[in-house]
Amino acid sequence: MCGIAGWIAGPQSVLTEDTLSSMLQAIAHRGPDDEGRCHFRSAGIGHHVFLGHRRLAIIDPEGAHQPMCDAASGLALTFNGEIYNFRQLRDELSRLGYCFTRDSDTEVLLRAYQHWGSEVVHHLRGMFAFAIWDARNERLFLARDRFGEKPLFLYQNGNGLYFASEIKALLRVPGVTVRVNLEAVWDYLAYRYVPGPKTLFTGIRKLLPGTTATWERGKLKEERYWTAPDSSPSRLQQPQRDAVPAFLSRLDEAVKLQMVSDVPFGAFLSGGLDSSSIVALMSRHNSKIKTFSVGFGEDSYSELGYAAEVAAHFGTQHHEIVVEYRDIIERLPQLVAFRDAPVSEPSDIPIYLLACEAARSVKMVLTGEGSDEILGGYPKHIAERIAPGYQMLPGYVRHRLIEPLTHALPYDFRRIKTAVTNLNIEDRPERYVRWFGALNRSERDRLSVLRLNGTPLLDAPPFDADPRSSALRRILYFDQTSWLPDNLLERGDRMTMAASIEARVPFLDHELAAFVSSLPDGFRVRGLQSKWVLREAGKQLIPERILTRPKVGFRVPVNQWFRGEMRGYLLDHLQSGSSITRAYYDGQILDGILAEHLNGRQNHEKLLWALLNLEIWHRQYV
């Protein structure tokens, strides 16, 4: 796991290695173990190519220095991530006549590109973002993994193309100025994160997951090489009798592959189904697993007891930390800076603190991230399965009878209230965003004075699923191509790399995802039960009490903190004269929202958290 940066620019470019050093210094936390740089001049058109690397050594820690350069083939590689099948690829390439000097996935990736060229991405099983300078073809080739576990940001001007693992490195390039992308702000108010390829910085964009970018003779071409399999209808019409053991076998294989490491490693353990299953499978392959859990002072929000029960069951070396509101206030500006974006989920902070605790004894952890998006783990996935039937009811029944009745229910019935409100939205893209979003279109029109009413939410993935696909598959496709890469995986990468450790996510093994996608919908959502196939497989893995307990989720008690300890902090950022983003809103509407929350009449914690973090981002960068 590392950080990469570099560029290709025309003969007139005056940028030097000092600029590259500054870029690498900005992302030094991603790779504290080593730094490398190289510079090339293309023979034909005279372009300058700079490649830089910061290394966190996980595999072959004493070797595999990057950028890895091979003069004989004219190739140079800077690489962030892990190729889990690198030993199988090395064996295949050895049979084809390629020679290897180290037990390194970096060297295998270099030779794999030498053999397969741009088709190399189809052979990789892992998480990655990399850049390869191909001198013979005068080509810079960049790629990002299928689900977007590893980040890659691009900036392009008339002189060249610049890339980096984090935006802060691109801001070190002379001529790159900070200008707020107001269209991205508008999207952020809906999603609570910025959907790719946009960022909040004008001119800086994300390379989308499952995409390659090729710069050749002054032209950039981006190609999507992989699409999440849930974009298409299921290939199987009948359930497989052996689906559960086959699923468990594939998940076990993914866990075993991702445990390959030459340094100490462990696991994040929440005590829920996902992380407990990962720890159970890890214990099959290693008897000395370290686990790390985080909880809160408020007992109703803490899962430490469940995590401790799982840890005791598998005999792990268990570590716990407890987070208080002070940790939020103290760390939030720092973590906005680490993310180069608003911290869209309060749970980012506990994850960072947990990563800091883990970094005291390990350099890599496995997590249960991605299970909900692959297996259908959220209440919205259950709701979407019934959406077509529900929307066949007459409009007056849905809007004038059912919706008013549910809105009158107490706050404790918030999931039912949310489900009915969203199921009444017939515009599918709008409904998908609203499940976890902050504001719908009319609410944004009412609060915001930006007046970007004509701006589409997104006209590319994640709304391009085959219309013949089931309702469940379409919402899962949205999650896999937007919510997951642009929010959860971005969070996981920044919060762990800020603590200089690597996080791996076995549930996002693309072969496992393809197998799950081949099954009928009932293997994921069956009646009111989510993640059915994992729950069935889990009967062989984890204690029944963990298997059957209700899903709590990784929740931070922000609702009550805003009404108590964080009240002054919130008002300073959104109401004081020093607030930058207050100019984006109708002040009277904003103050009304604040009053409703602080007085306990409504719970606006999602929206207020989003607005608070947008303000912190502006104070950091604008």
Side-chain angles (χ1 to χ4, degrees), residues 154-195:
L154 306 178
Y155 174 81
Q156 191 174 355
N157 60 21
N159 193 41
L161 174 71
Y162 307 81
F163 65 88
S165 296
E166 296 184 16
I167 291 173
K168 58 179 60 66
L170 292 175
L171 298 179
R172 298 289 183 93
V173 176
V176 178
T177 58
V178 174
R179 290 187 295 125
V180 181
N181 182 348
L182 293 180
E183 287 189 7
V185 171
W186 181 254
D187 286 346
Y188 174 80
L189 294 176
Y191 289 77
R192 296 189 296 122
Y193 59 90
V194 177

Side-chain angles (χ1 to χ4, degrees), residues 306-324:
Y306 294 110
E309 184 178 341
V310 175
H313 182 80
F314 293 106
T316 70
Q317 301 174 37
H318 193 53
H319 306 258
E320 296 179 349
I321 63 170
V322 176
V323 175
E324 304 288 348

Side-chain angles (χ1 to χ4, degrees), residues 1-2 33 55-66 79 81-87 90 102-108 257-263 363-364 502 504:
M1 189 67 64
C2 310
D33 297 332
R55 187 180 187 208
L56 179 66
I58 303 292
I59 295 176
D60 190 16
E62 300 302 320
H65 174 79
Q66 292 192 52
F79 160 49
E82 305 291 350
I83 308 302
Y84 302 128
N85 64 333
F86 78 96
R87 286 178 177 144
R90 184 184 59 196
R102 306 205 65 87
D103 188 28
S104 159
D105 60 343
T106 305
E107 185 179 19
V108 169
L257 276 174
Q258 297 193 24
M259 289 175 68
V260 173
S261 171
D262 294 327
V263 296
K363 293 184 74 171
M364 182 271 282
E502 172 179 295
R504 300 180 179 179

Side-chain angles (χ1 to χ4, degrees), residues 8-12 39-49 133 138 159-160 215 217-218:
I8 182 168
Q12 69 275 24
H39 173 216
F40 304 94
R41 187 83 181 267
S42 66
I45 55 179
H47 274 53
H48 295 274
V49 179
W133 171 239
E138 298 196 344
N159 193 41
W215 178 278
R217 299 188 178 276

Side-chain angles (χ1 to χ4, degrees), residues 130-236:
F130 62 83
I132 293 179
W133 171 239
D134 183 344
R136 291 180 178 175
N137 295 298
E138 298 196 344
R139 174 190 304 146
L140 181 68
F141 179 76
L142 304 103
R144 192 175 176 204
D145 65 64
R146 294 169 178 83
F147 280 110
E149 296 176 55
K150 293 295 100 190
L152 194 58
F153 294 92
L154 306 178
Y155 174 81
Q156 191 174 355
N157 60 21
N159 193 41
L161 174 71
Y162 307 81
F163 65 88
S165 296
E166 296 184 16
I167 291 173
K168 58 179 60 66
L170 292 175
L171 298 179
R172 298 289 183 93
V173 176
V176 178
T177 58
V178 174
R179 290 187 295 125
V180 181
N181 182 348
L182 293 180
E183 287 189 7
V185 171
W186 181 254
D187 286 346
Y188 174 80
L189 294 176
Y191 289 77
R192 296 189 296 122
Y193 59 90
V194 177
K198 297 175 188 173
T199 72
L200 283 172
F201 299 85
T202 297
I204 297 176
R205 70 183 189 278
K206 307 169 189 177
L207 182 65
L208 289 174
T211 302
T212 63
T214 304
W215 178 278
E216 193 168 5
R217 299 188 178 276
K219 295 183 179 180
L220 181 66
K221 181 180 180 181
E222 295 183 30
E223 292 186 322
R224 190 177 179 186
Y225 68 87
W226 185 84
T227 301
D230 280 330
S231 66
S232 303
S234 173
R235 296 191 300 274
L236 297 181

